[in-house]
Amino acid sequence: TGVNGNQLDKTASLSGAAYVFVRKAGKWAQQAYLKASNTGKDDNFGWSVAVSGDSIVVGAVLEDSDAKGVNGNGGSDAAYASGAAYVFVRQGEVWSQQAYLKASNTAVGGTFGQAVAIAGDTVVVGANNESSSAAGVNGDQTNTSFKSAGAAYIF
């Protein structure tokens, strides 16, 4: 779990990882090995990745927590394939996880993290299987009758 953990530990199959490489003096070298703070089997961490300066956002499209919003409790596996996104920041050459992101309407099969983007201090996370009938910006997320309508969440 986390940053620079044991890369040889294969106990969580298909959990996923992201690798950070930097170039110094014309040579590439790995700077960090990133994993979710709540690594789980089949989470697919790294499904989507985006970089902006010293920040990286990583999507884990099949993560199973039923947490909602920012930095919730990722310990529950009660919402299969709801998905998550993780924000990492670099200070000097040291990476750390800054945020654990979930949909405001986390639901089974939502696939939050299918796509991610970051620009400066703004992160956008796509959930192509989100099923609310909300329309426009900040619509009503409680009616889930539109299967796989999809949504984007801005943080």
Side-chain angles (χ1 to χ4, degrees):
T1 63
V3 178
N4 295 327
N6 180 2
Q7 295 181 49
L8 301 177
D9 181 352
K10 307 291 186 201
T11 57
S13 63
L14 301 174
S15 58
Y19 300 81
V20 179
F21 290 87
V22 295
R23 188 170 65 182
K24 291 183 183 176
K27 296 184 180 183
W28 287 96
Q30 183 176 323
Q31 186 176 62
Y33 171 66
L34 307 178
K35 295 284 285 185
S37 52
N38 61 333
T39 295
K41 183 178 182 285
D42 299 323
D43 282 353
N44 284 220
F45 179 90
W47 183 274
S48 54
V49 178
V51 179
S52 177
D54 290 328
S55 300
I56 295 175
V57 61
V58 181
V61 70
L62 298 180
E63 188 267 354
D64 298 329
S65 165
D66 62 353
K68 290 178 174 39
V70 180
N71 294 331
N73 180 359
S76 164
D77 282 345
Y80 174 76
S82 56
Y86 302 78
V87 179
F88 295 87
V89 295
R90 177 174 55 191
Q91 299 259 339
E93 293 186 7
V94 178
W95 288 92
S96 61
Q97 184 176 316
Q98 185 178 61
Y100 167 60
L101 307 176
K102 294 288 286 188
S104 50
N105 60 336
T106 296
V108 170
T111 63
F112 181 88
Q114 176 77 25
V116 296
I118 184 169
D121 291 332
T122 302
V123 171
V124 180
V125 180
N128 66 318
N129 285 326
E130 187 272 351
S131 296
S132 78
S133 61
V137 178
N138 296 328
D140 178 11
Q141 301 174 18
T142 60
N143 182 335
T144 58
S145 62
F146 285 30
K147 299 299 176 204
S148 299
Y153 300 79
I154 301 171
F155 298 87

